[in-house]
Amino acid sequence: MIDALALRLSPRTTTPLARQLYALLRDWIQRGELAAGSRLPSSRGLAAGLGLARNTVLAATERLVAEGLVEARLGAGLFVADLPVARMPAALAAPAAPRYSARGEALLERCATLSDHCEAFAPGLPGLDLFPHTQWQRLLRRHYRQAERPWLAYQTQGGLPALKEALCDYLTLSRAVRCRPAQIVITQGAQQAFELVTHLLTDPGDGVWMEEPGYGGAQTSFLTANLAVVPVPVDDEGMNPALAPQGTPPPRLIYVTPSHQYPSGVTMPVARRLALLEQAAAHDALIIEDDYDSEFRYDIPPTPSLQGLSDQARVLYIGTFSKVLYPGLRMGYLVLPEAMADTFRLAQARLHREGHYPLQAAVAEFIATGDFSRHIARMRARYRQRQTLLRQALAPAVKAGLRLSSGHAGMHLVAELESIEQETRLTALGRQARVTLSPLSRYYLGTPARAGLVLGYAGAPDETIRRAGQWLCSLWLAEVAASNEGRLS
């Protein structure tokens, strides 16, 4: 044993020798290589044989005794404890393959669509090069340095009051949301807001009307909550409740992105919004309004929120700072009917534990000083330029028949394709070229009604957009030429 230990111990590493000796003996005991009841050499014998100080050996053996792996018998020495773990053969001790729950399997299936975004055409990625990093760092440093002591404790306020007040003023002015600060709960992104809604307002099997095609994050939250998700087709005016499939569970929730439908890009007119509110009342359902990028509108005036049209009792308004600041901020918010606000506030504190109040204080000041609105205005102007660059790069393809979405708002365009097969080919070629081509079919829960590519333009520098757009244009024209040759032959 002493020879084997001497070969494994290394004085050249940064790990202390006492810890190395302890780890080696523990490993041998747990793997059954030192049999239960076998006697270990004395501390003096180990120290002399290994050339170690006796205190080093005692530190290792005393830890083994404290963990119950070794027994110290008075007047007899140290013996390997008679434990099941010590007798277990290594083959049996190896962990079995993990077994996930049905909910976990559903989540993992949805995770398969995630990928590392390349800079060009990643949908939903804001222009991080446009963010005022220096100004933001100054804000953060000051608020972390001046953090109030209560901010370091557990909180149950639903978010920093100063942030809720600033956000309430902003939403009232910019989105015609009707609320008071007490109706707002700050979350760690929109995804956490979806999870709070499903926890508190639904039971397994409840029906949810979901836009088809629609946002994958919301789809995942509803599916993994074991809800009956009913895809409702989107037309040129957004979700059309008249097309809800017959014979499906009535909705407990209705999920919509009315200001800028994701991913199609259409805007729901007021008449359709009122019809949706009527449908919600008829089914005693609640509407989740996901207003994810309503700030970025280019050639049409802003559309007021759906929440502002209602009596507020039917609509839960969800927003995020991921698109207007940066995704790594992990901050979103829920605007709730007054009767629900306290319940959600307490559930948020119990399930997720509030925190990051210095960070919330920095965001509150960024909004209250007007820097937030000025930043959005700059981004809106630059995103419009970047969309124009993408359209210019794709102009030869458009002239040859490629159809692009209107681009009146948002951070992406949709390029329509002829078939799922073409979509699959182009997506695979994009992966090889390190260009993110998100297939439109991925946003469908059922059989895709259309094929296409979702092309984000906000997060890439101008030259990247131009170069990647020209590459995609050439690729699409080559596809069309090959298809035409096939028809002629």
Side-chain angles (χ1 to χ4, degrees):
M1 179 191 297
I2 291 177
D3 289 343
L5 288 170
L7 289 171
R8 301 284 296 277
L9 293 173
S10 174
R12 294 186 179 87
T13 68
T14 57
T15 304
L17 287 167
R19 189 181 303 172
Q20 291 184 50
L21 179 60
Y22 154 77
L24 286 169
L25 290 172
R26 182 195 61 185
D27 185 54
W28 289 351
I29 292 170
Q30 290 182 329
R31 284 154 45 107
E33 295 179 17
L34 286 177
S38 60
R39 189 176 186 277
L40 298 181
S42 68
S43 59
R44 285 190 178 88
L46 279 172
L50 297 173
L52 301 176
R54 190 179 176 213
N55 284 342
T56 299
V57 175
L58 287 172
T61 56
E62 287 173 0
R63 185 170 177 183
L64 293 169
V65 172
E67 292 181 1
L69 295 172
V70 168
E71 294 176 351
R73 299 177 187 174
L74 186 63
L78 300 175
F79 295 82
V80 176
D82 186 12
L83 297 174
V85 67
R87 297 195 304 268
M88 189 177 294
L92 294 180
R99 178 181 175 275
Y100 299 106
S101 64
R103 181 174 53 195
E105 293 289 354
L107 174 59
L108 292 172
E109 185 177 345
R110 304 290 300 177
C111 290
T113 62
L114 295 176
S115 61
D116 293 332
H117 284 313
C118 307
E119 195 173 44
F121 303 147
L125 183 67
L128 301 180
D129 59 319
L130 306 177
F131 187 72
H133 293 278
T134 303
Q135 177 188 4
W136 178 246
Q137 289 298 324
R138 283 198 298 267
L139 266 178
L140 282 181
R141 282 195 296 270
R142 187 170 77 255
H143 283 287
Y144 273 104
R145 189 170 58 247
Q146 299 173 355
E148 299 178 18
R149 185 173 297 176
W151 293 358
L152 307 180
Y154 294 118
Q155 299 289 335
T156 60
Q157 301 180 80
L160 185 70
L163 176 56
K164 296 199 286 184
E165 290 169 8
L167 194 53
C168 183
D169 291 341
Y170 170 76
L171 293 174
T172 300
L173 291 172
S174 67
R175 302 297 302 124
V177 170
R178 295 192 290 172
C179 70
R180 297 183 300 106
Q183 292 174 247
I184 297 175
V185 171
I186 305 300
T187 63
Q188 293 180 39
Q191 205 65 34
Q192 190 179 90
F194 299 145
E195 292 172 7
L196 278 172
V197 170
T198 57
H199 270 296
L200 287 171
L201 299 178
T202 65
D203 292 309
D206 281 351
V208 179
W209 280 4
M210 178 76 205
E211 296 172 323
E212 179 80 334
Y215 173 51
Q219 293 170 348
T220 299
S221 288
F222 303 147
L223 290 170
T224 54
N226 295 319
L227 304 182
V229 183
V230 178
V232 179
V234 168
D235 60 22
D236 290 341
E237 295 185 343
M239 174 190 277
N240 188 345
L243 300 179
Q246 299 296 312
T248 55
R252 169 63 180 149
L253 300 175
I254 301 174
Y255 172 87
V256 287
T257 51
S259 295
H260 185 232
Q261 201 278 327
Y262 192 82
S264 72
V266 300
T267 298
M268 184 179 288
V270 172
R272 175 67 62 83
R273 295 177 185 225
L274 294 174
L276 193 61
L277 288 167
E278 290 177 3
Q279 285 281 343
H283 291 289
D284 194 24
L286 296 165
I287 295 175
I288 300 174
E289 179 179 10
D290 184 358
D291 209 18
Y292 68 100
D293 72 351
S294 59
E295 288 86 357
F296 305 123
R297 312 194 71 79
Y298 307 120
D299 52 5
I300 56 175
T303 307
S305 67
L306 176 61
Q307 191 265 10
L309 293 175
S310 73
D311 61 0
Q312 304 179 56
R314 288 276 168 215
V315 181
L316 286 68
Y317 181 93
I318 292 178
T320 177
F321 291 105
S322 294
K323 305 296 184 289
V324 290
L325 294 180
Y326 57 93
L329 185 64
R330 303 303 307 131
M331 193 180 296
Y333 48 89
L334 260 167
V335 180
L336 297 151
E338 291 193 52
M340 295 183 187
D342 282 345
T343 303
F344 272 76
R345 174 178 57 81
L346 293 173
Q348 160 81 341
R350 177 73 277 175
L351 282 173
H352 303 295
R353 293 297 188 192
E354 292 184 48
H356 310 298
Y357 271 29
L359 184 61
Q360 292 186 27
V363 175
E365 182 177 340
F366 198 59
I367 296 172
T369 58
D371 289 332
F372 182 65
S373 295
R374 286 187 286 273
H375 173 59
I376 289 173
R378 286 193 298 269
M379 292 172 74
R380 186 185 298 120
R382 290 302 306 276
Y383 289 176
R384 184 170 189 168
Q385 292 173 4
R386 289 180 174 181
Q387 185 191 131
T388 299
L389 283 174
L390 178 56
R391 288 186 178 277
Q392 290 171 347
L394 294 175
V398 170
K399 188 175 180 180
L402 179 67
R403 296 184 299 277
L404 296 177
S405 56
S406 69
H408 293 312
M411 302 161 64
H412 70 270
L413 295 174
V414 177
E416 294 190 28
L417 300 177
E418 295 298 325
S419 66
I420 299 297
E421 291 75 20
Q422 185 185 36
E423 181 189 87
T424 302
R425 284 195 304 274
L426 293 179
T427 302
L429 291 169
R431 280 195 297 271
Q432 295 173 15
R434 297 289 298 162
V435 175
T436 300
L437 298 180
S438 297
L440 181 61
S441 60
R442 183 181 295 170
Y443 296 85
Y444 284 84
L445 286 169
T447 302
R450 297 161 55 202
L453 300 172
V454 180
L455 306 174
Y457 52 77
D462 294 1
E463 183 54 35
T464 301
I465 293 174
R466 186 180 294 108
R467 185 175 62 252
Q470 291 170 349
W471 172 86
L472 178 58
C473 180
S474 299
L475 191 63
W476 188 87
L477 290 172
E479 280 271 318
V480 171
S483 177
N484 291 337
E485 287 178 10
R487 290 193 188 98
L488 290 174
S489 62

